[in-house]
Amino acid sequence: MNPAEVIKTKMQGSRSATSVRQLFVEVWSHEGIFGFWAGIRPNVTRTFLVCAAELGTYDQAKHSLISHGLLTDGPLAHLSASAIAGLASASTSTPADVVKTRLMNQAG
């Protein structure tokens, strides 16, 4: 999905109203096929960070909330653990998102 994400990111950062076709031609003419894969490494890194943060944090948060007697095992405990995992995931992935977006905007 990276080629579509490069075009989308460039459109969002564009100051002038440009078409998808115009951006496609711009990236292709300056960098060729590799321009559409700009930012793929930080994108993959971000994916690993998100998964690791969510999976590890969710279980630990749920266990801690229940074992410390703050919540009983039920929907509220799951929702709270999910919120904590989401916060950890967002905090962990934001630096990789910034790098990815900057690299994608540099393409073409």
Side-chain angles (χ1 to χ4, degrees):
M1 201 62 166
N2 210 64
E5 193 169 0
V6 168
I7 296 295
K8 177 195 73 147
T9 302
K10 287 188 73 63
M11 282 191 85
Q12 289 174 341
S14 177
R15 298 202 193 288
S16 61
T18 56
S19 68
V20 172
R21 184 179 191 286
Q22 183 180 4
L23 286 171
F24 182 88
V25 169
E26 180 183 315
V27 173
W28 183 266
S29 65
H30 288 118
E31 295 186 37
I33 191 74
F34 296 111
F36 294 104
W37 295 97
I40 191 68
R41 286 186 179 148
N43 202 3
V44 170
T45 302
R46 178 200 176 279
T47 302
F48 283 116
L49 291 171
V50 167
C51 289
E54 283 180 357
L55 293 174
T57 308
Y58 174 80
D59 278 342
Q60 183 63 40
K62 188 177 86 168
H63 176 73
S64 294
L65 289 169
I66 294 169
S67 67
H68 288 31
L70 298 172
L71 297 170
T72 59
D73 191 7
L76 187 57
H78 293 277
L79 182 65
S80 300
S82 294
I84 293 168
L87 179 64
S89 172
S91 300
T92 304
S93 68
T94 298
D97 279 335
V98 170
V99 171
K100 175 190 76 157
T101 301
R102 288 186 179 171
L103 288 173
M104 287 180 176
N105 275 326
Q106 290 175 359

